């Protein structure tokens, strides 16, 4: 990335729509109601041959107290100070308002490079507001329509000379999953680096402390927090160096039960959080120590496991827990009982408020990531399989003896294994679970999702399942002569 562009403006002027236009994806939530965006969302933007970081911000309002609107305003003002260039949007159809004039005063004092954009200027309805924008004292306004893509060429020609002096920065890509591995080759190196940072998503119910935890990891108040539940709406990704590990961490919206989600914006927020899980390598399921392992927590953890991501369970607000030892025993018992599919996954107690336990959380994430990328040799697997079958032979449904002949690892991220056997369709699911649990213990793979596929060796027979061909006329003739 060559520079950072922050989109600033009052609520509902089209900042998120323009953000989505520049990144080429529907990343930011967009709705007709004002105030949808609350946090700062960064994206990799492309405009012609320009590559830069664009920041979507919350609408600036007049509140300056500690209310939600006041905290949103302070976060947006901070984005103005950090950005290389500010794009100040007004609504050309509504004209210049008193809030626009106040924002113009702030930008004249703080913004180094400010571009004035009049959005929603398509057609004649925006001409009056476009003329009014000259009075803001920020130069000639740029006529834009974020919805229809008008004015992008003019924006490019304005940004091009400003971008020449800025330093190039790298872009993080989505992680690769379900990677095929050869039987005898080593697994590729997936050590986190600056080019490929470790991707971590923090998910959980509303008000579990996800944004507060990430702020503590960052060492600054980067994300909007507060006592109100459901503050976070967008899934925000941030890149940092966490205790020497290049990391890209996703903050997500709180996920309530589906039946309780009736608001359109909340539905979009939850969908955005689920998408962040698919872009992560390790998922941290954050629980509230006061009410852990509710049904929604179990659904969230099961979703992460179903998506094939490494899972770490973190119990937050541990600093206010009084009976810590008894509570810890209770948590571990419930974890093993309610989440058997994540048997052995790390469970860490943390305090997002004080920062206690963050070192243990970091170590647990690295270990979960290492197990998620683990490769087991074919020879070791077949020795282990022989011992498992000897200790507990597979059943013989209907008198059919099922033979497990051969086993190999076919994939990593998460680990996937293939067992060649006879009659795989008749092998009970309980026996597959027996093998999976044995793999976890024998090869030290607790908690990570393990995929096991049963295949028949006859699958390679090209004639399997084909009907017997009818006899030819010559064959019928020869058979008739023999009979006579």
């Amino acid at each position: 990335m060559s520079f950072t562009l922050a989109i600033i403006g009052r609520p509902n002027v089209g900042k998120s729509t323009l953000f989505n236009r520049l990144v080429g994806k529907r990343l930011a939530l967009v709705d007709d109601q004002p105030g949808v965006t609350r946090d700062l969302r960064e994206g990799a933007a492309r405009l012609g041959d320009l590559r830069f970081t664009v920041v979507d911000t919350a609408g600036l309002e007049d509140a300056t107290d500690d209310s939600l609107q006041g905290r949103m305003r302070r976060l947006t003002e901070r984005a103005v100070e950090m950005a290389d260039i500010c794009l100040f949007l007004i609504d050309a159809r509504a004209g210049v308002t008193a809030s626009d004039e106040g924002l113009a005063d702030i930008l004249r004092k703080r913004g180094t490079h400010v571009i004035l954009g009049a959005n929603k200027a398509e057609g004649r309805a925006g001409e009056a507001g476009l003329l009014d924008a000259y009075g803001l004292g920020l130069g000639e306004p740029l006529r834009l329509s974020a919805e229809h893509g008008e004015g992008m060429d003019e924006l490019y020609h304005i940004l091009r000379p400003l971008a020449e002096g800025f330093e190039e920065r790298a872009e993080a890509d989505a992680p690769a999953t379900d990677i095929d591995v050869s039987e005898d080759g080593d697994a590729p190196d997936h050590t986190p680096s600056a080019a490929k940072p470790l991707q971590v998503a923090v998910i959980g119910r509303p008000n579990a402390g996800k944004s507060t935890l990430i702020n503590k990891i960052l060492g600054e108040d980067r994300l909007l927090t507060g006592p109100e539940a459901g503050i976070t709406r967008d899934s925000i990704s941030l890149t940092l160096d966490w205790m020497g590990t290049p990391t890209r961490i996703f903050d997500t919206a709180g996920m309530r039960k589906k039946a309780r989600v009736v608001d359109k914006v909340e539905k979009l927020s939850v969908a955005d959080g689920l998408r962040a899980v698919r872009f992560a390598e390790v998922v941290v399921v954050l629980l509230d120590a006061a009410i852990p392992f509710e049904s929604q927590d179990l659904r969230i953890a099961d979703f992460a496991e179903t998506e094939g991501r490494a899972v770490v369970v973190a119990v937050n607000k541990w600093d206010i827990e009084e009976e810590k030892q008894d509570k810890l025993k209770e948590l571990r018992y419930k974890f093993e009982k309610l989440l058997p599919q994540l048997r052995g996954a790390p469970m860490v107690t943390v305090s997002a408020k004080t920062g206690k336990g963050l070192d243990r959380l970091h170590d647990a994430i690295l270990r979960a990531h290492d197990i998620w990328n683990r490769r087991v040799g074919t020879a070791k697997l077949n020795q282990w399989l022989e011992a498992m079958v000897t200790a507990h032979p597979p059943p013989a449904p209907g008198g059919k003896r099922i033979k497990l002949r051969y086993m190999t690892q076919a994939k990593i991220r998460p680990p996937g294994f293939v067992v060649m056997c006879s009659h795989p369709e008749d092998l009970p699911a309980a026996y597959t679970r027996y093998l999976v649990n044995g793999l976890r213990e024998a090869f030290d793979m607790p908690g990570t999702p393990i995929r096991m596929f049963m295949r028949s060796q006859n699958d390679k027979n090209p004639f399997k399942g084909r009907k017997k061909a009818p006899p030819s006329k010559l064959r019928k003739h020869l058979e008739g002569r023999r009979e006579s």
Side-chain angles (χ1 to χ4, degrees):
M1 303 301 163
S2 57
F3 59 91
T4 301
L5 174 70
I7 304 176
I8 311 296
R10 59 184 177 82
N12 212 28
V13 296
K15 298 183 296 299
S16 296
T17 304
L18 180 59
F19 174 89
N20 287 341
R21 171 74 60 179
L22 291 174
V23 299
K25 302 175 183 177
R26 293 184 62 86
L27 293 182
L29 304 184
V30 176
D31 196 68
D32 293 335
Q33 61 178 292
V36 171
T37 302
R38 291 176 174 176
D39 272 301
L40 304 181
R41 172 186 274 278
E42 295 182 2
R46 303 180 63 177
L47 191 60
D49 60 347
L50 293 180
R51 303 292 183 270
F52 55 95
T53 299
V54 62
V55 182
D56 185 21
T57 65
L60 276 174
E61 301 193 37
D62 296 331
T64 57
D65 54 7
D66 289 332
S67 64
L68 178 59
Q69 288 74 19
R71 299 196 301 274
M72 290 163 58
R73 179 187 179 94
R74 287 195 293 272
L75 200 61
T76 303
E77 289 176 347
R78 185 180 174 195
V80 173
E81 296 174 353
M82 295 173 57
D84 299 317
I85 304 172
C86 289
L87 176 55
F88 175 35
L89 281 190
I90 67 166
D91 186 342
R93 299 194 174 193
V96 176
T97 65
S99 297
D100 292 327
E101 294 176 351
L103 295 179
D105 292 336
I106 295 175
L107 291 173
R108 278 195 296 268
K109 296 175 183 177
R110 301 186 182 184
T112 305
H113 301 286
V114 179
I115 301 171
L116 175 60
N119 193 30
K120 307 179 186 179
E122 67 275 14
R124 296 182 178 180
E127 291 182 355
L130 187 67
L131 295 174
D132 290 343
Y134 281 93
L136 293 174
L138 293 173
E140 182 180 356
L142 174 63
R143 185 169 188 155
L144 294 171
S145 173
E147 183 70 26
H148 300 95
E150 297 179 9
M152 294 298 107
D153 290 340
E154 291 80 0
L155 178 60
Y156 168 81
H157 290 296
I158 294 174
L159 291 176
R160 184 67 195 175
L162 297 176
E164 295 178 355
F166 296 108
E167 182 183 0
E168 290 290 331
R169 302 165 192 168
E171 178 183 354
D173 297 324
T177 57
D178 289 320
I179 299 176
D180 295 332
V181 294
S182 61
E183 291 190 11
D184 300 320
D186 295 331
D189 182 23
H190 293 288
T191 304
S193 62
K196 295 287 185 180
L198 174 62
Q199 310 230 58
V200 180
V202 182
I203 63 176
R205 289 183 290 107
N207 214 26
K210 299 179 292 296
S211 299
T212 306
L213 175 68
I214 296 176
N215 279 342
K216 184 60 69 173
I217 292 173
L218 292 169
E220 57 181 337
D221 292 334
R222 169 63 173 79
L223 299 172
L224 191 64
T225 61
E228 303 92 346
I231 291 180
T232 302
R233 287 176 170 173
D234 290 286
S235 294
I236 309 300
S237 66
L238 303 166
T239 304
L240 71 151
D241 187 282
W242 185 13
M243 298 183 183
T245 305
T247 306
R248 186 184 182 195
I249 192 166
F250 293 83
D251 183 27
T252 62
M255 302 178 188
R256 296 195 299 165
K257 292 181 179 179
K258 191 173 182 179
R260 297 182 181 179
V261 180
V262 294
D263 182 63
K264 177 182 177 182
V265 174
E266 186 175 357
K267 289 181 180 179
L268 294 172
S269 299
V270 172
D272 204 27
L274 297 179
R275 188 176 63 86
V277 172
R278 299 185 180 100
F279 274 84
E281 297 171 298
V282 181
V283 174
V284 177
V285 180
L286 195 64
L287 310 179
D288 188 336
I291 45 174
F293 294 115
E294 290 196 338
S295 58
Q296 184 64 1
D297 294 322
L298 302 179
R299 292 190 186 98
I300 292 171
D302 183 67
F303 173 76
E305 192 275 339
T306 303
E307 288 296 319
R309 301 303 184 261
V311 178
V312 174
V313 177
V315 183
N316 191 26
K317 305 180 184 179
W318 196 247
D319 54 312
I320 60 176
E321 186 62 41
E322 296 180 356
E323 302 293 335
K324 289 184 170 54
Q325 295 299 324
D326 295 339
K327 186 71 172 183
L328 188 60
K329 291 180 182 179
E330 179 186 356
L331 289 174
R332 294 193 184 280
Y333 172 75
K334 287 185 176 180
F335 183 32
E336 295 291 334
K337 182 179 179 181
L338 299 175
L339 291 171
Q341 67 272 35
L342 293 174
R343 181 180 177 185
M347 187 177 69
V348 184
T349 57
V350 298
S351 172
K353 184 177 181 181
T354 64
K356 190 173 182 180
L358 293 187
D359 54 343
R360 297 194 303 273
L361 179 61
H362 174 264
D363 294 342
I365 290 174
L366 287 183
R367 173 166 168 74
H369 182 259
D370 177 67
I371 296 173
W372 195 58
N373 288 281
R374 183 158 298 174
R375 170 80 168 93
V376 182
T378 302
K380 293 182 179 179
L381 281 175
N382 283 284
Q383 291 175 2
W384 167 83
L385 180 63
E386 183 180 356
M388 292 291 287
V389 171
T390 302
H392 185 186
K400 296 180 182 178
R401 184 183 176 189
I402 300 177
K403 296 181 180 180
L404 306 184
R405 297 187 175 93
Y406 180 80
M407 182 177 184
T408 186
Q409 184 171 358
K411 294 180 181 291
I412 57 171
R413 301 165 69 86
F417 301 89
V418 176
V419 178
M420 307 302 292
C421 63
S422 61
H423 311 296
E425 67 280 357
D426 296 327
L427 190 69
Y431 197 82
T432 303
R433 289 195 299 269
Y434 161 72
L435 295 178
V436 169
N437 291 332
L439 273 173
R440 294 189 191 279
E441 296 177 1
F443 298 104
D444 193 22
M445 293 191 292
T448 194
I450 293 178
R451 306 292 186 248
M452 185 168 289
F453 308 96
M454 301 295 174
R455 293 180 183 171
S456 172
Q457 288 184 320
N458 295 329
D459 289 347
K460 297 182 180 180
N461 184 355
F463 301 102
K464 181 184 178 183
R466 289 182 57 176
K467 294 182 179 180
K468 188 176 180 180
S472 62
K473 293 182 178 179
L474 178 59
R475 184 179 173 186
K476 288 182 179 179
H477 175 69
L478 293 175
E479 289 177 352
R481 291 186 61 180
R482 288 196 203 100
E483 292 176 0
S484 60

